[in-house]
Amino acid sequence: MKKLLAMMLMLASVFFFACSDDEDEKLSKEETKTEITQLSTDLADKLTEMEQSDGMVAMEALMNMPDPFASTSKSNDKYVVLNNIQKYLLPYNYVKKSTEKSVFEADHFDFDRWVGTYTWNNTVEAWDPDYGTPSNKIIIIFPADSTDMDNNNATITIHNYDEIFIDYEYLPTDVDADLYISDIKVVDIDLTAVWFTSGEYTGEPTSLDVSVYLIPFEFTGDFSHTSTVASINFAINYDGAQFFSAGVGATWANAGDSLPNNINGYIQFFEVKFQVNIDVLDLITVINNAESYGTGEELLNAINSEIDAYVTVSGTWAADIELGMDAEDELDILFVYADGTSESAIPYFQELEEDLADFFGSLEDYYGDW
């Protein structure tokens, strides 16, 4: 999953983009530049709003309180269930994998054992448990505002939860939970996952299906990984309107091959969509035989022929994305506009990459071991 997600991010930062599209309707150079320039501001605004949403603030308040499941268990127990619910509410946590030993050292969380209602009692600064009521879910009643601890206005209900211990970490396999503040639903998470328990991909999902509602955001994603085919799709809506989506597919000629023979997909911010299809193995062949091309221009043309990439805005073609050379004869990535002019795409993508890193983690973490 780590490598495939890196491929998705690669579509946005455009390390290897090129070629053309033949649609008749095209945006002007000025319109295209305006749309792309605005992306980083809009994306950063949405990330800030997501992190400061009522649901995330309430979850943070809950995480700073004593573990409701530790009151009658071993003194050193700290279960990961609430941490996993909080963690998988934000999209960037789906690609961040800790290499450190988990601080959560409790036994496996037994959902059936802990069903019941837990109410925060600020007078004694402890939980009042009502074990077994109800008998099929966990209800936690607590203050959503850490500055108003006498006001139990938040209720998180865990309808189902299961996990698996892999490589010093408890990873969720089934999460179904929601959070209300003053009778308003602010969080709903439904996640199922199957994880690799051994081998090269230990601790990464072989399949994942998730739906997250974090008012006013909704995040959906699915992932599948077999020996020769992998795909990943994510989308984030804001008040019912989609502002981010991405889909990537990769195929390998043979099980165990380190490199796919093809990567194809798209990444879309608001109305701006970047699309790409890369013949990876053919591209590598071209690069490995670079000395056989008479000029740098011939080599770039050969590389561009193995990659098809372009930008659309609201479904209208806006620019091709091609490899080229800058004024200092350094390799450049270009937007080629409808009027035939071009300019470096790198400044636009550098700014986007920073915002993507906030959403999905640092790119360097995922390219470093390729």
Side-chain angles (χ1 to χ4, degrees), residues 342-364:
S342 63
E343 68 172 324
S344 177
I346 291 176
Y348 299 100
F349 286 112
Q350 284 177 334
E351 191 168 357
L352 272 178
E353 182 182 319
E354 293 175 1
D355 295 315
L356 276 174
D358 289 336
F359 261 106
F360 294 104
S362 173
L363 294 176
E364 295 178 1

Side-chain angles (χ1 to χ4, degrees), residues 11-66:
L11 301 185
S13 53
V14 192
F15 290 133
F16 297 110
F17 270 151
C19 237
S20 65
D21 183 74
D22 296 325
E23 297 182 30
D24 294 331
E25 186 179 2
K26 299 181 178 182
L27 293 183
S28 70
K29 175 179 178 179
E30 290 72 22
E31 290 172 323
T32 301
K33 292 175 65 174
T34 298
E35 293 286 348
I36 294 175
T37 301
Q38 185 62 30
L39 290 182
S40 291
T41 299
D42 292 341
L43 188 62
D45 289 346
K46 288 294 186 289
L47 173 62
T48 299
E49 187 172 351
M50 185 179 295
E51 292 180 328
Q52 296 176 356
S53 66
D54 291 342
M56 289 306 300
V57 171
M59 285 301 301
E60 186 65 29
L62 179 58
M63 293 303 298
N64 287 329
M65 298 169 68

